[in-house]
Amino acid sequence: MLHCTGNPLGYLYTEKEYDNFVLELDWRWPAGKEPGKGGVLIRTTGPDKIWPKSLEAQINAGDAGDFWGLLGYQLDGPADRKKTLENPQFGKLTNVKKSAAVEKPAGEWNHYRIVADGPVVTLEINGQVVNRATGCETAPGRIVLTAEGSAIEFRNVQLRPISKP
């Protein structure tokens, strides 16, 4: 199990780059702590910084299951759940809101299943599909677990590359 205190802000990332894969992991906010902020970044490219160009599977309390295209990362999704904005520090940000709230309360483990298959990325929480992004950039990149100022725990991280013909 990885226990991140949330301080300092930062992340752990894979040494190799991945494009098409199935990533499964468990995460939780420790019992007795205020749920906070975290995420899983995929197809992360460019220089190390807070936050690099990537597609984020959000874990922020109450927003788990949202997608964020950071620093201009391209993605699309249903018009009624999608918005794009400009941020002076983080550039173009694209958000696709989750379709359902299924995260568990602090102290209980949640299960993420992220399938990145070409331009489509599907996100499940606790066995339920809560988001699907299309038109995603397909450049290989690192996979990143973030700590964003809050204690968070990860376990059972499994990565299976998808072979393309």
Side-chain angles (χ1 to χ4, degrees):
M1 180 175 69
L2 295 171
H3 174 78
C4 303
T5 63
N7 188 9
L9 295 177
Y11 49 80
L12 296 172
Y13 58 87
T14 58
E15 291 180 356
K16 294 181 181 178
E17 295 185 340
Y18 299 90
D19 189 5
N20 299 296
F21 56 85
V22 177
L23 174 66
E24 296 195 56
L25 59 89
D26 298 328
W27 60 270
R28 73 175 175 189
W29 308 110
K33 302 270 186 177
E34 184 68 27
K37 296 181 179 183
V40 177
L41 311 182
I42 66 169
R43 297 179 175 163
T44 305
T45 59
D48 288 328
K49 65 183 201 169
I50 307 287
W51 296 115
K53 184 175 183 180
S54 57
L55 176 61
E56 179 178 24
Q58 184 69 261
I59 297 180
N60 289 4
D63 293 324
D66 286 3
F67 279 131
W68 280 96
L70 305 177
L71 207 62
Y73 182 94
Q74 297 295 311
L75 72 148
D76 201 5
D80 62 328
R81 294 189 286 123
K82 179 184 167 190
K83 70 177 177 182
T84 301
L85 54 111
E86 287 291 330
N87 179 288
Q89 183 179 1
F90 302 118
K92 179 182 174 187
L93 302 173
T94 302
N95 174 237
V96 178
K97 297 294 282 179
K98 66 187 176 294
S99 61
V102 297
E103 67 188 282
K104 297 176 183 177
E108 295 185 33
W109 289 101
N110 292 280
H111 185 76
Y112 250 9
R113 184 172 193 267
I114 302 167
V115 179
D117 191 3
V120 177
V121 178
T122 305
L123 176 57
E124 294 177 20
I125 300 176
N126 301 324
Q128 182 174 334
V129 174
V130 297
N131 218 336
R132 183 174 180 271
T134 58
C136 296
E137 289 183 41
T138 57
R142 295 170 306 209
I143 296 171
V144 175
L145 303 178
T146 72
E148 302 179 27
S150 308
I152 187 170
E153 296 173 334
F154 297 97
R155 70 175 186 186
N156 300 327
V157 179
Q158 298 179 14
L159 175 64
R160 292 181 301 283
I162 297 172
S163 298
K164 290 291 188 182

